[in-house]
Amino acid sequence: MAIVLDRELFQWELNPTLWEAEEKTWNLTEGVYENVLYDRVVDSLFTILADEFHIPIYFDSHRGNQSFLIIPSNDSIIAPYNFGQDREYSLIIQYQLNSGGTYNRNTMKQITEISERVKRLIYNNVDYTVSNVYHWNNANISEITHARLDSILQTSMQFNCSSTEMSPN
């Protein structure tokens, strides 16, 4: 038995009412969903780091003498429910220091001190709620790696947290 697929049905320009044609209600109007990864996790992590360190934080690439980079890496479902779901989020927090080619006791101390402060900062915010608004729980730094790339010293920290999403339906 051969299955014939009408590709025109899957081209939005040719069928802008595909969802109604399938008699499904997708209900993706504004306010029905929440961008949990950004609103609860990335933005909160950005605020926590910015308040503590006063070091520039970027999302695309490192700049200047030192900076942080936040890179979302994983979004996994832990448990689905009728009313929502528990999800685990993983992000990489990179700290980079341009040492000018110097790698000694002081530069090593500086990058390890930053990673230790981030670990403690996340430990102090393991369950993060601001003004009675829940953001995440079970936050941790599960792994830290250090690298030397010519005149650049880099620390990568694996940040993990969980968040419960409630369905409005």
Side-chain angles (χ1 to χ4, degrees):
M1 176 169 148
I3 297 175
V4 178
L5 179 65
D6 185 355
R7 295 193 185 277
E8 288 184 3
L9 283 176
F10 295 97
Q11 293 179 1
W12 184 256
E13 297 81 18
L14 300 176
N15 189 359
T17 59
L18 175 64
W19 311 118
E20 290 84 8
E22 292 181 355
E23 298 179 12
K24 292 184 179 180
T25 304
W26 292 91
N27 210 9
L28 292 177
T29 57
E30 190 174 327
V32 174
Y33 70 95
E34 177 186 3
N35 185 347
V36 175
L37 175 58
Y38 183 81
D39 294 339
R40 291 192 199 176
V41 181
V42 173
D43 194 43
S44 299
L45 186 59
F46 180 96
T47 300
I48 289 171
L49 291 172
D51 289 348
E52 176 72 15
F53 290 100
H54 307 289
I55 294 172
I57 303 168
Y58 301 105
F59 297 95
D60 55 352
S61 62
H62 289 283
R63 295 184 202 105
N65 186 41
Q66 63 178 341
S67 62
F68 281 106
L69 194 62
I70 298 175
I71 308 164
S73 62
N74 199 15
D75 174 352
S76 304
I77 191 162
I78 298 170
Y81 308 110
N82 290 336
F83 58 87
Q85 56 190 330
D86 284 336
R87 300 194 74 83
E88 182 174 59
Y89 298 96
S90 298
L91 294 88
I92 302 296
I93 304 168
Q94 272 186 359
Y95 170 73
Q96 185 170 290
L97 173 67
N98 186 341
S99 68
T102 303
Y103 188 70
N104 57 31
R105 188 176 181 175
N106 290 335
T107 55
M108 179 187 286
K109 182 178 180 187
Q110 183 174 348
I111 64 167
T112 57
E113 188 169 303
I114 292 287
S115 62
E116 289 298 321
R117 280 178 63 193
V118 170
K119 272 196 317 191
R120 186 59 189 195
L121 188 60
I122 298 307
Y123 177 80
N124 291 346
N125 292 284
V126 67
D127 297 321
Y128 191 63
T129 300
V130 177
S131 301
N132 293 324
V133 176
Y134 166 78
H135 291 263
W136 70 53
N137 57 293
N138 301 324
N140 66 77
I141 299 293
S142 62
E143 182 177 12
I144 297 175
T145 58
H146 302 283
R148 181 178 173 192
L149 314 163
D150 296 323
S151 64
I152 304 294
L153 302 175
Q154 189 175 79
T155 298
S156 295
M157 297 160 272
Q158 177 74 44
F159 170 85
N160 307 296
C161 70
S162 301
S163 190
T164 301
E165 303 174 29
M166 305 300 274
S167 174
N169 297 339

